[in-house]
Amino acid sequence: MPGVDHCLQEAMAIPGAVGASIVDYTTGFPVATTGAAPNSDHEAAAAGTADVIQAANSRSLFVSAMPHDLLEDLIITTAGGYHLLRMVQTEFDSRLVLYVWLDRVQGNLAVARRRMQKLADELVAT
Amino acid sequence: MTASKTATPGRLLTQVAGERQTGVLVVGGHPGGAVYVLEGRVIYAESPAAPGVGELLTASGRLAARTWQNALDLGTSTARVGRLLVEQGHLTRGELELCVLGAIYDAAYFALSVDAVPVDFLAGATHWLGPVVHVDPEAINREVGRRIRLLDEIFPDRRVDVTAVAPATRLPRERVTLTSMQWELLVHSDGQRTPADLALLLGRAGYACVQELRRMAAMGLIELPETPVATPSPEFVRMPRARGAAADVKRPSPNSRPSTEARPSTNSRPPTDPRPSTDPRPAPQDAPSVPVVAGARAAVPASALAAPPLPVLISAPPAPSPPTPPPPEPDPPRHAVDDSSTQALYRPPRLARRKPGAKLPKEVAGEAPPVHPGTDEVLLKRIRTALRALR
């Protein structure tokens, strides 16, 4: 039965993963972290993650343009890396997102995205 | 157990964590709360203002109330409710951990964000949930501080967090965009429920509710508390408060005026309505009692007392107040008749206090019985919420 720590370990096993965390995006608080973070600061990274999610959720018109068309994941690519944000849909009230930082050279976006989808589902699936 | 003393709970938490103690830090005041420490690490926190793990899981429908109750019955004595739920396959380990983590930080905000409250440390106490996660107390203290700052950046008025929520009747802007959570809060706010009531009712994190309420306060979507919170005692299960003009302490005796004026001035009976029915605006004398929703504030009964008697409705001067002191509890809320377009209030017939079982005065008894506003859904819901909180 995977717990939060196990989920993050698995995330770090994704090819090219440098760091991973689970972030509460209402407050920008890292609920759990592992590995490296941009600027070696998980808390600042989490706050930034929360801002990005809030912006996508509330200020972009393509999210929720139709009923039940909810945000699933966000991918930000930079010259040096991939930053993947996957919403963790719990049935109870929580606003969590799984964040994985991938190295640009070693990471594979498609593989990572599928693995994260599986991880986020397993974390909360019965 | 240390003697109850006034302290900053966060500092005491650091202290007991440094000594690697086990027990519970009980924070008094309002809303107060409790932080459970196991060998210097926080394993759970609870506060009346934050829904606990049980409320979060059952209110969302993730667990049936019976499943949760069974786990409580089986595991409370041995402090392994959390483990049982996972072992019996009702929850995944990840779900339980995330839920407990969320509940800890949520309750910690309410319990630890205050200074100088009575704080007790009961050594040796454990929580029935059992250790699910272990959190560093310093991380909690840091996060509580950050959450306070976040709220103040949105809208620096802490009264929003504890005052009953009343949607603004008229918006200060042409167009608003709401998040789904803001919508949920608005449609459930009735001028009576506090943010804590709403969080429990909706099964949403208390801090998330407060955060959205501050945002809505900043946008002018909810009424701001007019008076400073005189005593820091927001009751989390509130007794019904008088709304609008319902709290008439200076009740004129019924024989001091003709019977027609004892009738409620609803628009359902325009012929007897003493107010000109063509005028949709309320009489200026009604002004203090017009915002129905704002009337739920504690300040309004006082202003209703100070307001002059309504000459439109009562032609004779009101009789001097009876020698008996006014009842300490205001009347239960009476429903405003749903004609908000004219903003007229439902005024029940004013009667002198009678003995139990005594007959109604003739002139009132002759009329049709007062309109029954129907089941008080709001009160029922609040009783249900209160009962759930007791479980």
Side-chain angles (χ1 to χ4, degrees), chain A residues 6-75:
Chain A
H6 181 259
C7 170
L8 288 187
Q9 275 173 28
E10 291 284 302
M12 288 300 281
I14 296 172
V18 182
S21 58
I22 295 178
V23 174
D24 178 344
Y25 63 79
T26 40
T27 57
F29 174 69
V31 173
T33 61
T34 184
N39 302 319
S40 319
D41 189 345
H42 273 292
E43 296 199 0
T49 304
D51 285 345
V52 170
I53 297 282
Q54 299 273 13
N57 249 338
S58 59
R59 291 194 282 280
S60 68
L61 290 178
F62 38 81
V63 171
S64 296
M66 291 175 284
H68 307 295
D69 187 21
L70 301 177
L71 183 65
E72 208 172 65
D73 55 11
L74 283 173
I75 299 168

Side-chain angles (χ1 to χ4, degrees), chain B:
Chain B
M1 175 186 163
T2 58
S4 180
K5 57 184 178 186
T6 302
T8 305
R11 204 166 295 156
L12 192 54
L13 179 65
T14 311
Q15 186 197 325
V16 296
E19 297 159 4
R20 298 189 56 75
Q21 296 207 50
T22 297
V24 55
L25 191 76
V26 180
V27 182
H30 288 280
V35 181
Y36 291 80
V37 185
L38 180 72
E39 293 172 357
R41 308 259 273 163
V42 174
I43 54 162
Y44 196 62
E46 55 193 12
S47 166
V53 173
E55 282 98 31
L56 288 173
L57 290 172
T58 52
S60 60
R62 179 64 189 85
L63 288 186
R66 177 191 269 180
T67 313
W68 174 252
Q69 192 58 46
N70 277 345
L72 279 186
D73 293 346
L74 273 176
T76 301
S77 55
T78 48
R80 54 190 181 99
V81 171
R83 229 177 67 195
L84 271 177
L85 284 170
V86 175
E87 278 169 6
Q88 293 175 346
H90 295 300
L91 288 176
T92 66
R93 183 144 191 90
E95 271 179 306
L96 181 66
E97 286 179 0
L98 292 176
C99 190
V100 173
L101 279 169
I104 288 178
Y105 282 104
D106 193 26
Y109 165 73
F110 292 101
L112 303 179
S113 64
V114 284
D115 303 327
V117 286
V119 185
D120 267 340
F121 185 73
L122 294 113
T126 54
H127 194 264
W128 42 257
L129 190 68
V132 177
V133 292
H134 304 266
V135 189
D136 178 19
E138 273 321 291
I140 290 186
N141 274 334
R142 231 178 17 246
E143 177 62 8
V144 168
R146 215 177 59 86
R147 289 188 177 201
I148 296 171
R149 284 196 303 277
L150 275 178
L151 286 186
D152 286 344
E153 277 167 26
I154 297 169
F155 189 73
D157 189 343
R158 289 198 78 164
R159 292 174 301 168
V160 174
D161 308 359
V162 291
T163 321
V165 185
T169 42
R170 184 162 291 178
L171 295 188
R173 50 183 73 208
E174 277 296 305
R175 186 178 59 227
V176 289
T177 311
L178 295 184
T179 66
S180 57
M181 179 124 171
Q182 290 171 344
W183 169 269
E184 243 176 79
L185 287 167
L186 276 182
V187 298
H188 287 97
S189 65
D190 57 358
Q192 301 270 330
R193 296 186 178 123
T194 61
D197 293 338
L198 287 168
L200 274 177
L201 180 76
L202 305 172
R204 298 237 176 230
Y207 181 82
C209 290
V210 166
Q211 198 182 24
E212 294 297 356
L213 288 171
R214 292 252 192 144
R215 286 198 180 115
M216 289 197 283
M219 288 195 286
L221 301 189
I222 57 173
E223 304 262 353
L224 292 181
E226 298 119 0
T227 49
V229 181
T231 51
S233 61
E235 309 132 49
F236 279 92
V237 179
R238 276 173 180 241
M239 296 307 288
R241 286 252 166 94
R243 304 179 68 169
D248 273 318
V249 180
K250 286 185 194 169
R251 278 181 202 165
S253 59
N255 49 10
S256 71
R257 62 182 194 275
S259 63
T260 46
E261 282 156 14
R263 286 187 186 164
S265 71
T266 60
N267 275 16
S268 56
R269 278 188 266 171
T272 56
D273 194 339
R275 194 179 292 168
S277 58
T278 47
D279 183 11
R281 309 291 306 173
Q285 289 84 359
D286 273 357
S289 58
V290 161
V292 182
V293 195
R297 294 286 151 63
V300 166
S303 70
L305 287 186
L310 310 173
V312 183
L313 295 172
I314 309 157
S315 54
S321 4
T324 50
E329 278 295 322
D331 295 309
R334 302 222 171 88
H335 281 240
V337 168
D338 192 17
D339 52 356
S340 47
S341 55
T342 55
Q343 295 196 326
L345 292 179
Y346 167 61
R347 287 178 205 287
R350 290 159 196 217
L351 295 177
R353 208 164 267 285
R354 280 168 293 124
K355 286 216 172 89
K359 280 185 180 165
L360 283 168
K362 253 185 223 156
E363 65 267 26
V364 180
E367 290 179 13
V371 187
H372 181 56
T375 322
D376 194 338
E377 289 294 338
V378 176
L379 186 61
L380 275 178
K381 227 171 225 173
R382 287 159 54 75
I383 291 171
R384 254 181 249 133
T385 313
L387 285 175
R388 205 168 52 201
L390 284 175
R391 270 212 309 257

